[in-house]
Amino acid sequence: MKFIIDTYKEIWQYFWEQQLVYLPKEHSFYMDNVVNKIDIELMVNTISLAVSDNIIVNVNGFCGLDKSMVSCCQVPKFQKGILKVEHSLEHGLAYGISEKDFLVHVNIQTGWVCIGNPEKKGDAVEFINNCVVVIDDDKNFVSLWLKPEELPKI
């Protein structure tokens, strides 16, 4: 699968109504906006990126955060847009983006959580409010950056 950034303004405005929260008791990220049609889910560790009409439209899933993940990583510069997925995957299923789990980094000063490589460069897009993905020149996933309304005390 390949990821494509689209910055056409009328398309991405809808996704800015969603708010990302972290539920400490459940150790998970959550968005309350329900998407009626989800074709596939792409998994980044245990975080689900819901895909509808080849566009990532929602982020949810388990991600326990602890002191061992504290880092001074900085979210890269990004543009607002949507994140499209080119794929030939069967609808109705979930697919891992990678065969191995990505490391998790938490910057408690800025509130950003990085799942993936925080130092590898690429194009970054904020595809949902406070949700950023970095893709490399080959259109492959590098990292997912999430900034919930509030981080838990770790």
Side-chain angles (χ1 to χ4, degrees):
M1 81 192 72
K2 300 293 179 186
F3 295 93
I4 313 248
I5 294 172
D6 187 341
T7 57
Y8 185 61
K9 184 176 181 179
E10 281 71 30
I11 295 174
W12 57 257
Q13 285 181 321
Y14 166 77
F15 301 108
W16 294 94
E17 298 171 7
Q18 301 186 76
Q19 288 298 325
L20 180 69
V21 296
Y22 187 83
L23 305 172
K25 290 182 182 179
E26 297 179 14
H27 305 285
S28 63
F29 289 98
Y30 174 76
M31 291 182 160
D32 61 1
N33 189 12
V34 177
V35 178
N36 292 331
K37 179 187 157 221
I38 296 176
D39 301 324
I40 61 171
E41 290 183 280
L42 300 178
M43 303 302 296
V44 179
N45 294 0
T46 52
I47 300 291
S48 168
L49 305 176
V51 179
S52 179
D53 295 324
N54 296 330
I55 298 172
I56 297 179
V57 296
N58 199 290
V59 177
N60 284 296
F62 174 79
C63 185
L65 303 175
D66 63 45
K67 290 180 184 179
S68 69
M69 300 171 180
V70 173
S71 167
C72 60
C73 62
Q74 296 294 317
V75 66
K77 291 185 181 197
F78 54 83
Q79 58 186 331
K80 292 181 180 183
I82 62 171
L83 188 60
K84 295 181 177 181
V85 182
E86 284 184 356
H87 66 87
S88 57
L89 303 170
E90 183 179 344
H91 285 205
L93 300 174
Y95 299 90
I97 288 179
S98 173
E99 293 181 12
K100 61 180 174 118
D101 279 349
F102 294 97
L103 293 176
V104 178
H105 310 268
V106 181
N107 187 321
I108 55 177
Q109 279 76 37
T110 65
W112 283 98
V113 175
C114 174
I115 303 166
N117 187 339
E119 296 178 13
K120 189 170 181 184
K121 303 298 181 207
D123 294 320
V125 62
E126 186 176 25
F127 61 99
I128 296 174
N129 192 25
N130 291 324
C131 299
V132 174
V133 163
V134 178
I135 59 171
D136 66 17
D137 291 339
D138 294 324
K139 305 206 180 311
N140 295 312
F141 174 89
V142 172
S143 57
L144 172 65
W145 294 79
L146 304 172
K147 185 177 182 181
E149 289 181 344
E150 186 177 338
L151 282 176
K153 305 288 185 236
I154 53 175

mmCIF file of all heavy atoms in Angstrom, residues 70-87:
data_model
loop_
_atom_site.group_PDB
_atom_site.id
_atom_site.type_symbol
_atom_site.label_atom_id
_atom_site.label_comp_id
_atom_site.label_asym_id
_atom_site.label_seq_id
_atom_site.Cartn_x
_atom_site.Cartn_y
_atom_site.Cartn_z
ATOM 1 N N VAL A 70 9.138 8.296 27.411
ATOM 2 C CA VAL A 70 9.335 9.747 27.438
ATOM 3 C C VAL A 70 10.537 10.118 26.576
ATOM 4 O O VAL A 70 11.597 9.490 26.647
ATOM 5 C CB VAL A 70 9.505 10.255 28.885
ATOM 6 C CG1 VAL A 70 9.889 11.729 28.911
ATOM 7 C CG2 VAL A 70 8.211 10.042 29.661
ATOM 8 N N SER A 71 10.347 11.128 25.752
ATOM 9 C CA SER A 71 11.332 11.537 24.761
ATOM 10 C C SER A 71 11.230 13.045 24.560
ATOM 11 O O SER A 71 10.258 13.674 24.966
ATOM 12 C CB SER A 71 11.032 10.809 23.444
ATOM 13 O OG SER A 71 11.730 11.349 22.374
ATOM 14 N N CYS A 72 12.212 13.609 23.906
ATOM 15 C CA CYS A 72 12.149 15.026 23.547
ATOM 16 C C CYS A 72 11.897 15.193 22.049
ATOM 17 O O CYS A 72 12.200 16.230 21.470
ATOM 18 C CB CYS A 72 13.426 15.753 23.973
ATOM 19 S SG CYS A 72 14.910 15.085 23.222
ATOM 20 N N CYS A 73 11.321 14.170 21.414
ATOM 21 C CA CYS A 73 11.064 14.226 19.973
ATOM 22 C C CYS A 73 10.106 15.371 19.644
ATOM 23 O O CYS A 73 9.259 15.731 20.447
ATOM 24 C CB CYS A 73 10.503 12.899 19.471
ATOM 25 S SG CYS A 73 8.921 12.426 20.183
ATOM 26 N N GLN A 74 10.291 15.940 18.472
ATOM 27 C CA GLN A 74 9.488 17.078 18.032
ATOM 28 C C GLN A 74 8.682 16.707 16.795
ATOM 29 O O GLN A 74 9.229 16.131 15.857
ATOM 30 C CB GLN A 74 10.386 18.282 17.712
ATOM 31 C CG GLN A 74 11.128 18.828 18.918
ATOM 32 C CD GLN A 74 10.183 19.440 19.939
ATOM 33 O OE1 GLN A 74 9.258 20.154 19.594
ATOM 34 N NE2 GLN A 74 10.417 19.149 21.203
ATOM 35 N N VAL A 75 7.401 17.055 16.825
ATOM 36 C CA VAL A 75 6.562 16.804 15.666
ATOM 37 C C VAL A 75 7.139 17.575 14.478
ATOM 38 O O VAL A 75 7.570 18.721 14.622
ATOM 39 C CB VAL A 75 5.084 17.191 15.952
ATOM 40 C CG1 VAL A 75 4.929 18.678 16.163
ATOM 41 C CG2 VAL A 75 4.169 16.712 14.846
ATOM 42 N N PRO A 76 7.208 16.951 13.310
ATOM 43 C CA PRO A 76 7.770 17.654 12.145
ATOM 44 C C PRO A 76 6.810 18.729 11.636
ATOM 45 O O PRO A 76 5.628 18.734 11.964
ATOM 46 C CB PRO A 76 7.925 16.537 11.112
ATOM 47 C CG PRO A 76 6.922 15.516 11.507
ATOM 48 C CD PRO A 76 6.814 15.587 13.000
ATOM 49 N N LYS A 77 7.335 19.635 10.824
ATOM 50 C CA LYS A 77 6.472 20.622 10.176
ATOM 51 C C LYS A 77 5.529 19.869 9.255
ATOM 52 O O LYS A 77 5.946 18.931 8.569
ATOM 53 C CB LYS A 77 7.301 21.634 9.398
ATOM 54 C CG LYS A 77 8.101 22.530 10.308
ATOM 55 C CD LYS A 77 8.808 23.602 9.530
ATOM 56 C CE LYS A 77 9.609 24.427 10.534
ATOM 57 N NZ LYS A 77 10.018 25.692 10.051
ATOM 58 N N PHE A 78 4.271 20.299 9.253
ATOM 59 C CA PHE A 78 3.272 19.591 8.469
ATOM 60 C C PHE A 78 2.335 20.573 7.796
ATOM 61 O O PHE A 78 2.271 21.744 8.151
ATOM 62 C CB PHE A 78 2.469 18.620 9.344
ATOM 63 C CG PHE A 78 1.847 19.256 10.556
ATOM 64 C CD1 PHE A 78 0.637 19.937 10.466
ATOM 65 C CD2 PHE A 78 2.473 19.191 11.799
ATOM 66 C CE1 PHE A 78 0.056 20.525 11.582
ATOM 67 C CE2 PHE A 78 1.907 19.779 12.921
ATOM 68 C CZ PHE A 78 0.694 20.447 12.811
ATOM 69 N N GLN A 79 1.606 20.072 6.819
ATOM 70 C CA GLN A 79 0.551 20.838 6.164
ATOM 71 C C GLN A 79 -0.783 20.153 6.466
ATOM 72 O O GLN A 79 -0.810 18.969 6.798
ATOM 73 C CB GLN A 79 0.799 20.905 4.663
ATOM 74 C CG GLN A 79 0.893 19.548 3.987
ATOM 75 C CD GLN A 79 1.293 19.671 2.533
ATOM 76 O OE1 GLN A 79 1.005 20.653 1.890
ATOM 77 N NE2 GLN A 79 1.959 18.650 2.015
ATOM 78 N N LYS A 80 -1.860 20.893 6.366
ATOM 79 C CA LYS A 80 -3.179 20.307 6.547
ATOM 80 C C LYS A 80 -3.607 19.674 5.238
ATOM 81 O O LYS A 80 -3.329 20.192 4.158
ATOM 82 C CB LYS A 80 -4.194 21.370 6.964
ATOM 83 C CG LYS A 80 -3.958 21.910 8.344
ATOM 84 C CD LYS A 80 -5.013 22.934 8.707
ATOM 85 C CE LYS A 80 -4.746 23.470 10.113
ATOM 86 N NZ LYS A 80 -5.779 24.412 10.534
ATOM 87 N N GLY A 81 -4.289 18.551 5.336
ATOM 88 C CA GLY A 81 -4.764 17.877 4.140
ATOM 89 C C GLY A 81 -5.469 16.587 4.502
ATOM 90 O O GLY A 81 -5.894 16.394 5.632
ATOM 91 N N ILE A 82 -5.577 15.721 3.531
ATOM 92 C CA ILE A 82 -6.117 14.387 3.788
ATOM 93 C C ILE A 82 -5.059 13.374 3.412
ATOM 94 O O ILE A 82 -4.119 13.672 2.665
ATOM 95 C CB ILE A 82 -7.435 14.121 3.023
ATOM 96 C CG1 ILE A 82 -7.223 14.178 1.523
ATOM 97 C CG2 ILE A 82 -8.530 15.049 3.478
ATOM 98 C CD1 ILE A 82 -8.425 13.706 0.726
ATOM 99 N N LEU A 83 -5.222 12.185 3.948
ATOM 100 C CA LEU A 83 -4.289 11.105 3.668
ATOM 101 C C LEU A 83 -5.048 10.006 2.938
ATOM 102 O O LEU A 83 -5.962 9.398 3.482
ATOM 103 C CB LEU A 83 -3.681 10.569 4.965
ATOM 104 C CG LEU A 83 -2.553 9.570 4.810
ATOM 105 C CD1 LEU A 83 -1.375 10.188 4.041
ATOM 106 C CD2 LEU A 83 -2.080 9.083 6.167
ATOM 107 N N LYS A 84 -4.664 9.812 1.683
ATOM 108 C CA LYS A 84 -5.281 8.780 0.861
ATOM 109 C C LYS A 84 -4.406 7.533 0.888
ATOM 110 O O LYS A 84 -3.195 7.618 1.117
ATOM 111 C CB LYS A 84 -5.426 9.258 -0.581
ATOM 112 C CG LYS A 84 -6.381 10.416 -0.752
ATOM 113 C CD LYS A 84 -6.488 10.799 -2.214
ATOM 114 C CE LYS A 84 -7.488 11.902 -2.428
ATOM 115 N NZ LYS A 84 -7.598 12.257 -3.860
ATOM 116 N N VAL A 85 -5.042 6.405 0.632
ATOM 117 C CA VAL A 85 -4.333 5.130 0.610
ATOM 118 C C VAL A 85 -4.594 4.457 -0.732
ATOM 119 O O VAL A 85 -5.746 4.265 -1.117
ATOM 120 C CB VAL A 85 -4.811 4.204 1.747
ATOM 121 C CG1 VAL A 85 -4.025 2.912 1.738
ATOM 122 C CG2 VAL A 85 -4.703 4.895 3.092
ATOM 123 N N GLU A 86 -3.515 4.121 -1.445
ATOM 124 C CA GLU A 86 -3.627 3.307 -2.652
ATOM 125 C C GLU A 86 -3.417 1.862 -2.233
ATOM 126 O O GLU A 86 -2.391 1.535 -1.625
ATOM 127 C CB GLU A 86 -2.557 3.693 -3.676
ATOM 128 C CG GLU A 86 -2.821 4.963 -4.410
ATOM 129 C CD GLU A 86 -1.763 5.216 -5.486
ATOM 130 O OE1 GLU A 86 -0.786 4.435 -5.603
ATOM 131 O OE2 GLU A 86 -1.910 6.221 -6.183
ATOM 132 N N HIS A 87 -4.400 1.014 -2.542
ATOM 133 C CA HIS A 87 -4.277 -0.378 -2.112
ATOM 134 C C HIS A 87 -5.136 -1.274 -2.993
ATOM 135 O O HIS A 87 -5.994 -0.808 -3.734
ATOM 136 C CB HIS A 87 -4.707 -0.523 -0.651
ATOM 137 C CG HIS A 87 -6.168 -0.259 -0.435
ATOM 138 N ND1 HIS A 87 -7.128 -1.241 -0.562
ATOM 139 C CD2 HIS A 87 -6.852 0.878 -0.134
ATOM 140 C CE1 HIS A 87 -8.319 -0.724 -0.334
ATOM 141 N NE2 HIS A 87 -8.182 0.557 -0.070
#
